[in-house]
Amino acid sequence: MIAIGCDHGGYDLKCEIIKYLQKKGLEYTDFGCNGESVDYPIYAKKVGQAILDGEGEKGILICGTGIGMSIAANKVKGIRAAVWENEFSTEMTRAHNNANVLCMGARVIDTEKAIKLTDIFLDTEFMGDKHLTRINMIADIENK
């Protein structure tokens, strides 16, 4: 299951991503917002917590740039969120960093690009091996 959330700046793009997830038959939970003016950290926390609680395997967060969502989501212990604007970074961040939250900026990329990045994010597997050692090192930093 995919946990998805946005602020008002990402609402329209979130709706397009949800349509795409539905078309692909993928399960998701929409944690908001519904287009009203909101504070993005609320939704970053909701999606991050859903992943930690096992309600979602991966998350998608959308705001104007993706940056605020990424910063806020990364404050949730165990979340590895990143902003992606290109295919290579998306693939490598999943494969090498085991990112569990995709953050996108609705004012930075268009719907076509967002869907392409969503596919890469959902389809790319974590490589493990030496990368797992690095993920564990990150967790050690987080736990101190």
Side-chain angles (χ1 to χ4, degrees):
M1 198 275 297
I2 300 153
I4 189 166
C6 69
D7 71 358
H8 50 281
Y11 177 72
D12 291 339
L13 183 56
K14 181 191 78 168
C15 291
E16 293 300 318
I17 297 297
I18 285 174
K19 286 181 200 172
Y20 181 71
L21 296 174
Q22 291 170 337
K23 182 179 173 182
K24 287 191 71 166
L26 297 172
E27 291 186 34
Y28 68 91
T29 300
D30 182 355
F31 287 89
C33 79
N34 295 312
E36 70 280 11
S37 182
V38 297
D39 298 317
Y40 61 84
I42 294 166
Y43 299 92
K45 183 178 179 183
K46 285 181 180 187
V47 167
Q49 195 60 54
I51 292 167
L52 296 181
D53 292 345
E55 294 176 49
E57 180 184 335
K58 295 177 183 169
I60 299 172
L61 289 167
I62 307 166
C63 64
T65 64
I67 296 168
M69 284 292 197
S70 175
I71 291 169
N74 279 311
K75 299 298 180 186
V76 178
K77 188 176 180 176
I79 295 302
R80 290 173 305 283
V83 181
W84 300 314
E85 296 173 13
N86 66 67
E87 294 86 348
F88 178 76
S89 295
T90 305
E91 183 179 356
M92 290 301 102
T93 307
R94 277 288 308 131
H96 290 190
N97 306 116
N98 200 19
N100 50 14
V101 177
L102 163 63
C103 298
M104 295 184 282
R107 298 178 185 140
V108 179
I109 60 174
D110 62 20
T111 301
E112 182 180 342
K113 176 68 83 167
I115 288 170
K116 186 178 282 187
L117 298 182
T118 297
D119 270 341
I120 293 168
F121 172 67
L122 297 176
D123 293 342
T124 303
E125 296 294 327
F126 176 54
M127 293 174 68
D129 194 35
K130 67 182 177 185
H131 304 291
L132 181 57
T133 300
R134 295 169 183 155
I135 297 301
N136 290 335
M137 291 171 77
I138 293 168
D140 287 345
I141 294 168
E142 186 176 56
N143 291 323
K144 291 192 183 201

